Each structure stands twice: as structure tokens, then as C-alpha cells.
């Protein structure tokens, strides 16, 4: 049986795509291998969000040139966002590359492999939601699953390559989503995370249209307390009263939101074409906290966007403090092909971007620690999942409804069970405690 080595870079959407690619290729008779040297097919599922991510792909690809010479019949393919962004240029630049497949064309991989020796390109975009319903998903985790509910993005923030790589926004029919989650429930999964680039604009363009909150209600009804439900990532402008109420009221929906802000300066938000300003963002945060006081809020931040002054940067630090984030992914701005910001004249130096990143990370660490310390002495509900453990067999690990990682000791703990843990210690990254029997 031919062997597949699949290497995944990037976001959860890519992780899920890799689970789909694996499912599709297992169906074709492939088996999985960890070792590149044993593989008959090496696939890189790639990320183009920042320059560094793209470079990682090229340097990894470079290491396969020798393997390709040594191993007759070895095929090498690139999928994902770099494939979509670069297309034909990749085949030119890397003569030992066999095929290039965009994120909307996963089902083209098997036919390309069967087609024999010709080098292939599949980056055309399907007009609708592009996952075939019967595509098997070979999931990595048996407790938590990702479920794609929409693809692409229509917002065109000026720094972002996603609308070019993943295309325009397409929502998946609600019946299909509900069916997939029904199947997951049957298989004993305990948590689903609904995925999309701007997940809360789901459903508007479907006929008939359906709101994101209506989808959440249907899912909540279906899982009926047996599963936790999360979603990522919402756009601040589409955080509504109904969504805030749903977070408070739907029992399955976890009190957690990852709400990207990108900058705290109105001037920069405007140049980013984010579609919200600082006040609107803060209003949404206040709304969420008013309805769901226990909610944990995390975010994405870009520092060093073209033209960002010290004052703009300070406004971002102030906003981080004002919100009191539980966590944040903070990135140095990176110019991306096709995007408007790439053309902006006032690009900042690596040194300024690097210094701002360091400063923002120090602040974030302090804020996370403060938020996590508030759990000391409290008892929290933890969904046990071995994947959260860092190779420590003495302790158990899992996550709270707020998505905080908890390590704890206790007897007879099973993966996938929900246990109560009294928190005794907190760091910026995780909590620690003792299991209690209620
Ligand atoms: N440079 C730096 N960070 C970026 N992101 C998106 N595009 C860029 C870029 N060009 C960040 C944003 C987004 C997250 C997924 O990646 O913060 O929310
Ligand atoms: Fe990119 Fe903006 Fe769309 Fe998010 S909302 S995927 S940052 S264009």
C-alpha cells in the first residue's frame, strides 16, 4: 500500500482540511507514515497568512529535492493557501514538485495522482461551498472535532491574503452541518468548534437565509447537553444582541469568544478597512460581558501596520488593558501579495515592528496572568482531553468552558469525561488544581 506523509502548516481550517485530505487518501488505499523517507507521497498543506509561514513552506520543500532523486515514484504535492496564491509559479520554481492544489480543490488530489506522470495544477475555485458531503474526515482527536460551516471571506481587510487564497464567503447548508454534528454525537465526540473566517456572518447568502444564532440554536437543541459547542472566529461588527444572549442562554455554547481586534487605534483600524472602530469594538465587549459575565475574551493583534505611530501603538496597548484580555495572538505586520497594505508607502522597519511585538507580548503575559489568577480558589468544570497534556503522565489535562487549559491530579479519570477541579495555581498559560467529588 502506498504511504502518505502529510505536513500541515497554519490555522484550524488547514488542520481540518488535512483531516479531510487524509480521509480522502485513506479511501484511495494510502496508509499514513511519520517518516518522509518511507513516503510514496509527501503533501504540504500550506499557510500564506504571513511571509514567515510562506518561507517555512519553501525551506521544507527544499529538503525534499534529494529524496525525490533517491526514491523512484515519490510524488510531492502542495495544497492550501500558498498553492492557491502561487499556483503555476510553484511548478516553475520547484521542478521536482508534482502538483499544486488549492484549498477549494481537495477532491482533485486523488484524480491527479491517478492521472500518472504529468504535473498537475488545480486551483480553480468552485462557486459554492466546496466540500463534498460524503468526503470522509480522518479526525486527529476523538473528543473534540472541527466542523466547517463557511469558507472564504468578503471583507478584504487591507493586510489580509485570505479573500485571495480562500475566496469569497460561502456558507454550508445548515442541514449538512446538523447532520455532521449528529454523526459526531453518535460517535461519542464531546465538543465541536464551528469554523469559518467570519463565522458569525454565516448564512446570510443562503436561500432561504438563516442567521448564525439560529444555526447555534439548532445545534444546541441537537447536542442536548452531550457536547460543548464553540466557534471561531467571529467578526466584531457581526456581534449582535442575539449572539450575546445565545452565549448566555444556550447550555451547550461555551462562555468564550475569540474576537480579533487587530489594532486599538481608529486611524489604523480605518487604514486596515476593518469595518469597526475602537468604540464599536468596546461596545461589543461590554455587551458580551453584560449578558455573559463569565465569558473569556481572546483576540488577534497586528503591531507595526504601515504608518502606525507610537501613539497608535499605545492606543493598542491601552485597549488591551481596557478589555483585559484572557489571551491574544500578537503578530508583526507582514506585507502580503495582492493586498492593499502591501502598496502603502509608510512600511515600518523590522526593528520597530520587533520592539512593538516584544512590548505587546510582555503586557499580554501580565493580563493573562491576572485573568487566570482570578480562578484561584474556584472550582471549574473540565472536559478531560489527553491532547492538552504536555507529555506528563502523572497529571490529567483538559479545558474549562472558557477554554482555559487545566492540569490536575486525580484517580480514575477518563478521557472525554467532565470533572470538577478546584484551582490551586495559575500561570499566564494554564491553570492547575485538584479534582473534587461534588
Ligand atoms: N501580517 C500580520 N498578521 C496578519 N494576520 C493576517 N494577515 C496578517 C499580516 N499580513 C493576522 C491577523 C488575523 C490572524 C489570523 O493573522 O491578526 O486575525
Ligand atoms: Fe482576513 Fe479581515 Fe477576512 Fe479576517 S475579516 S479573514 S482578517 S479579510
Amino acid at each position: 500500500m502506498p504511504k502518505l506523509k502529510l505536513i500541515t502548516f497554519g490555522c484550524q481550517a488547514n488542520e481540518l482540511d488535512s483531516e479531510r485530505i487524509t480521509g480522502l487518501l485513506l479511501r484511495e488505499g494510502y496508509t499514513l507514515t511519520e517518516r518522509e523517507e518511507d513516503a510514496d507521497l509527501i503533501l504540504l498543506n500550506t499557510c500564506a497568512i504571513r511571509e514567515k509561514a510562506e518561507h517555512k513552506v519553501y525551506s521544507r520543500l527544499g529538503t525534499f529535492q534529494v529524496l525525490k532523486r533517491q526514491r523512484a515514484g515519490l510524488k510531492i504535492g502542495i495544497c492550501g493557501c500558498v498553492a492557491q496564491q502561487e499556483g503555476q509559479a510553484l511548478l516553475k520554481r520547484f521542478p521536482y514538485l508534482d502538483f499544486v492544489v488549492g484549498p477549494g480543490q481537495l477532491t482533485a488530489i486523488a484524480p491527479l495522482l491517478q492521472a500518472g506522470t504529468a504535473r498537475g495544477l488545480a486551483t480553480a475555485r468552485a462557486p459554492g461551498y466546496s466540500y463534498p458531503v460524503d468526503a470522509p474526515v480522518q479526525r486527529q482527536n476523538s473528543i473534540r472535532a472541527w466542523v466547517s460551516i463557511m469558507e472564504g471571506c468578503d471583507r478584504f481587510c487591507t493586510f489580509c491574503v485570505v479573500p485571495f487564497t480562500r475566496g469569497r464567503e460561502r456558507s454550508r447548508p445548515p442541514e449538512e452541518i446538523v447532520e455532521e454534528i449528529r454523526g459526531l454525537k453518535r460517535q461519542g465526540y464531546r465538543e465541536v468548534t464551528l469554523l469559518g473566517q467570519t463565522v458569525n456572518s454565516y448564512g446570510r447568502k443562503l436561500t432561504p437565509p438563516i442567521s448564525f444564532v439560529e444555526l447555534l440554536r439548532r445545534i444546541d437543541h441537537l447536542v442536548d447537553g452531550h457536547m460543548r459547542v464553540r466557534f471561531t472566529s467571529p467578526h466584531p461588527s457581526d456581534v449582535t444582541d442575539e449572539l450575546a444572549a445565545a452565549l448566555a442562554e444556550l447550555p451547550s455554547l461555551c462562555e468564550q469568544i475569540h474576537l480579533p481586534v487587530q489594532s486599538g487605534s481608529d486611524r489604523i483600524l480605518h487604514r486596515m478597512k476593518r469595518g469597526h472602530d475602537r468604540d464599536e469594538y468596546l461596545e461589543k465587549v461590554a455587551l458580551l460581558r453584560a449578558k455573559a459575565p463569565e465569558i473569556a475574551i481572546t483576540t488577534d493583534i497586528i503591531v507595526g501596520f504601515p504608518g502606525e505611530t507610537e501613539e497608535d501603538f499605545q492606543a493598542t496597548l491601552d485597549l488591551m488593558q481596557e478589555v483585559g484580555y484572557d489571551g491574544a495572538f500578537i503578530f508583526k505586520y507582514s506585507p502580503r501579495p495582492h493586498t492593499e497594505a502591501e502598496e502603502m508607502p509608510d512600511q515600518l522597519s523590522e526593528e520597530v515592528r520587533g520592539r512593538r511585538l516584544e512590548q505587546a507580548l510582555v503586557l499580554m503575559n501580565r493580563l493573562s496572568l491576572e485573568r487566570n489568577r482570578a480562578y484561584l480558589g474556584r472550582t471549574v468544570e473540565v472536559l478531560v482531553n489527553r491532547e492538552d497534556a504536555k507529555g506528563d503522565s502523572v497529571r490529567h489535562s483538559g479545558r474549562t468552558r472558557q477554554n482555559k487549559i487545566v492540569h490536575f491530579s486525580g484517580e480514575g479519570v477518563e478521557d472525554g469525561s467532565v470533572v470538577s477541579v478546584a484551582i490551586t495555581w495559575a500561570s499566564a498559560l494554564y491553570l492547575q488544581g485538584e479534582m473534587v467529588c461534588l
Side-chain angles (χ1 to χ4, degrees):
M1 274 196 278
K3 292 200 179 83
L4 162 69
K5 166 74 182 171
L6 177 56
I7 301 158
T8 308
F9 301 89
C11 64
Q12 289 120 323
N14 258 19
E15 296 279 349
L16 174 56
D17 282 352
S18 281
E19 294 181 346
R20 285 179 187 274
I21 293 169
T22 308
L24 287 164
L25 290 178
L26 292 185
R27 194 163 70 174
E28 296 297 311
Y30 279 83
T31 56
L32 294 178
T33 176
E34 282 302 311
R35 290 165 47 87
E36 286 149 19
E37 303 76 36
D38 295 343
D40 301 285
L41 171 62
I42 301 178
L43 278 179
L44 285 104
N45 192 12
T46 63
C47 171
I49 197 87
R50 283 168 292 275
E51 212 173 1
K52 210 161 125 192
E54 195 179 332
H55 282 158
K56 258 194 227 163
V57 173
Y58 299 141
S59 59
R60 195 71 185 261
L61 192 55
T63 62
F64 300 144
Q65 189 167 9
V66 180
L67 271 184
K68 178 85 181 181
R69 242 183 275 131
Q70 289 168 346
R71 214 174 142 80
L74 169 63
K75 297 244 179 205
I76 299 176
I78 292 209
C79 343
C81 287
V82 175
Q84 189 68 37
Q85 179 184 289
E86 297 298 312
Q88 188 73 40
L90 286 172
L91 291 173
K92 279 209 194 100
R93 180 169 164 192
F94 300 97
Y96 51 95
L97 188 60
D98 291 285
F99 60 88
V100 173
V101 171
Q105 289 282 340
L106 305 185
T107 50
I109 298 174
L112 275 170
L113 286 166
Q114 283 155 9
T117 51
R119 302 176 80 206
L121 179 73
T123 49
R125 206 143 9 224
Y129 185 85
S130 59
Y131 287 132
V133 186
D134 71 338
V137 184
Q138 186 66 33
R139 298 187 188 273
Q140 297 261 352
N141 189 297
S142 56
I143 312 288
R144 291 193 292 246
W146 290 311
V147 171
S148 165
I149 67 163
M150 52 139 32
E151 296 185 310
C153 182
D154 282 350
R155 287 198 168 260
F156 288 91
C157 297
T158 57
F159 52 81
C160 187
V161 80
V162 165
F164 304 98
T165 58
R166 289 198 172 258
R168 292 308 86 73
E169 182 188 306
R170 287 100 64 209
S171 291
R172 186 177 180 194
E175 300 76 25
E176 249 182 66
I177 297 169
V178 167
E179 258 329 285
E180 184 172 349
I181 296 173
R182 196 190 307 281
L184 291 168
K185 182 182 167 194
R186 217 181 297 124
Q187 291 168 56
Y189 281 87
R190 301 301 312 275
E191 183 173 304
V192 282
T193 302
L194 310 176
L195 289 186
Q197 303 297 337
T198 51
V199 83
N200 51 340
S201 60
Y202 171 81
R204 271 177 219 158
K205 291 195 275 182
L206 287 172
T207 23
I210 164 175
S211 74
F212 178 56
V213 172
E214 176 54 27
L215 178 72
L216 289 175
R217 283 201 202 101
R218 287 195 201 173
I219 294 171
D220 180 68
H221 181 72
L222 166 75
V223 305
D224 192 25
H226 291 283
M227 290 167 95
R228 288 176 170 183
V229 178
R230 305 184 191 276
F231 56 84
T232 199
S233 292
H235 190 281
S237 302
D238 292 328
V239 169
T240 56
D241 287 359
E242 292 76 43
L243 180 58
L247 277 158
E249 287 158 15
L250 299 182
S252 66
L253 198 57
C254 290
E255 295 76 19
Q256 173 243 323
I257 194 163
H258 182 72
L259 196 61
V261 67
Q262 314 299 357
S263 169
S265 152
D266 276 341
R267 209 177 62 81
I268 296 298
L269 286 169
H270 187 70
R271 283 168 66 99
M272 287 175 162
K273 293 204 179 147
R274 278 291 290 170
H276 63 80
D277 60 15
R278 180 188 174 102
D279 282 351
E280 185 188 343
Y281 185 90
L282 288 171
E283 274 163 27
K284 298 296 164 87
V285 167
L287 172 68
L288 290 165
R289 289 212 167 120
K291 297 268 190 196
E294 290 290 320
I295 200 165
I297 304 180
T298 54
T299 198
D300 288 342
I301 287 170
I302 297 178
V303 299
F305 185 80
E308 185 188 73
T309 62
E310 280 300 327
E311 208 182 347
D312 294 320
F313 174 59
Q314 195 56 51
T316 298
L317 298 180
D318 290 347
L319 178 115
M320 287 167 67
Q321 267 175 304
E322 191 165 342
V323 174
Y325 285 112
D326 289 85
F329 296 115
I330 306 173
F331 308 104
K332 266 190 284 190
Y333 168 73
S334 165
R336 304 312 295 134
H338 314 299
T339 60
E340 267 186 63
E342 192 200 16
E343 306 288 322
M344 291 181 183
D346 34 10
Q347 306 281 327
L348 300 185
S349 69
E350 171 61 29
E351 190 214 325
V352 169
R353 286 182 287 155
R355 183 172 48 71
R356 289 183 187 167
L357 176 67
E358 285 306 313
Q359 227 178 310
L361 285 173
V362 169
L363 172 61
M364 194 54 243
N365 200 54
R366 181 162 71 68
L367 295 175
S368 297
L369 185 60
E370 261 168 39
R371 293 286 296 174
N372 283 353
R373 281 199 178 138
Y375 288 92
L376 289 174
R378 291 181 55 186
T379 297
V380 293
E381 201 180 273
V382 175
L383 172 60
V384 182
N385 193 332
R386 251 179 246 123
E387 201 186 63
D388 293 321
K390 287 247 150 65
D392 181 345
S393 58
V394 184
R395 295 183 304 178
H396 302 288
S397 302
R399 286 179 193 242
T400 68
R401 289 177 62 91
Q402 284 77 13
N403 215 23
K404 306 256 178 206
I405 293 181
V406 180
H407 300 302
F408 63 98
S409 47
E411 300 283 313
V413 178
E414 282 189 28
D415 219 21
S417 60
V418 174
V419 298
S420 294
V421 177
I423 300 302
T424 54
W425 190 83
S427 76
L429 296 178
Y430 60 89
L431 307 171
Q432 224 168 273
E434 305 282 329
M435 193 168 98
V436 290
C437 297
L438 294 178

